[in-house]
Amino acid sequence: MKATFFITLLCTFSCTCMAQVLRGDHDISVSWGAVSGRDILDELNHGEDGGGMYHNTNTGNIFLTYRYFVLSRLSVGITAGNQTIKGTYHYDNSNLTPPYDYKLSNTTIAAEVMFIYMNRPGFQSYCSMGIGTSFYNETDYLANTSYYYPGQLSGNKFNFRISPIGFRFGGKFGGFVELGIGYKGLVDGGLYYTIHKQRSV
């Protein structure tokens, strides 16, 4: 009985939601990504004697993205997201200088374009690229104390994202996964909802 209900529900969903993306459509998505450019740089700065930045907790790259399809295979949009990292910095001469803890928040806003290679009902393969700015705020303090050391740093920097391959599954509502490099991470995935332009009958 449960299986029959599930199959009926799935068929209904497929019939109403498996439309192709067309010119004039909009969509909004939420995603989570891992291994950003910052993560890679922090891993590369580890010295042979244990110096460098070590992550204790990392939220990953959480983004909200809006897209407008100017053509059935091309969209433009804007994305905004955040990554928060807590960790410890160890000096190379750690026997002389104590390590300090840090909390780093990166907030990124960027413009994005997406080109669809294959546009089928219920499935799209695509590539995307984005350029924007990251606003960072870092607070450093000696471990197990409230003493700030070296202090607080903030500013902004150029950031980018290149994803040569991505896949979307579903219709009006569905999921996606991307591989790339930049502010969303090496692997990024999530859910999207598409608002289809009214089709002529």
Side-chain angles (χ1 to χ4, degrees):
M1 187 69 170
K2 289 182 179 179
T4 304
F5 173 76
F6 177 76
I7 292 170
T8 303
L9 185 64
L10 183 61
C11 289
T12 303
F13 179 82
S14 300
C15 292
T16 58
C17 296
M18 299 298 273
Q20 292 174 277
V21 176
L22 297 178
R23 178 181 178 181
D25 289 350
H26 309 252
D27 79 28
I28 189 166
S29 64
V30 61
S31 65
W32 181 86
V35 194
S36 68
R38 177 64 196 232
D39 297 331
I40 295 171
L41 289 175
D42 286 351
E43 284 296 322
L44 292 176
N45 80 3
H46 294 170
E48 292 182 2
D49 55 359
M53 302 185 87
Y54 290 83
H55 297 181
N56 297 328
T57 63
N58 188 337
T59 62
N61 312 291
I62 303 167
F63 276 82
L64 183 67
T65 304
Y66 166 79
R67 291 191 175 98
Y68 174 73
F69 288 86
V70 293
L71 299 171
S72 61
R73 291 181 179 268
L74 180 68
S75 75
V76 295
I78 188 167
T79 190
N82 181 266
Q83 178 186 30
T84 299
I85 300 168
K86 291 182 180 180
T88 303
Y89 183 86
H90 295 271
Y91 288 95
D92 289 342
N93 59 339
S94 56
N95 291 330
L96 301 176
T97 307
Y100 66 83
D101 291 339
Y102 65 90
K103 179 181 178 182
L104 172 66
S105 177
N106 273 316
T107 300
T108 301
I109 300 174
E112 291 190 338
V113 296
M114 180 174 80
F115 177 77
I116 297 178
Y117 303 127
M118 182 185 295
N119 189 9
R120 300 285 174 81
F123 175 80
Q124 291 90 39
S125 62
Y126 62 92
C127 65
S128 62
M129 181 179 71
I131 54 172
T133 301
S134 288
F135 303 89
Y136 62 88
N137 191 302
E138 180 179 335
T139 301
D140 305 323
Y141 46 93
L142 286 177
N144 303 316
T145 76
S146 59
Y147 178 70
Y148 289 92
Y149 178 84
Q152 196 157 17
L153 305 171
S154 61
N156 60 79
K157 60 183 179 180
F158 169 80
N159 213 335
F160 73 98
R161 162 77 170 168
I162 297 174
S163 174
I165 188 69
F167 302 100
R168 287 161 51 108
F169 307 91
K172 288 184 66 174
F173 179 78
F176 67 92
V177 62
E178 300 176 359
L179 300 176
I181 187 168
Y183 52 75
K184 288 185 177 178
L186 289 180
V187 180
D188 176 58
L191 299 172
Y192 72 85
Y193 179 77
T194 300
I195 302 169
H196 290 296
K197 180 182 178 182
Q198 177 139 18
R199 313 290 195 234
S200 56
V201 180

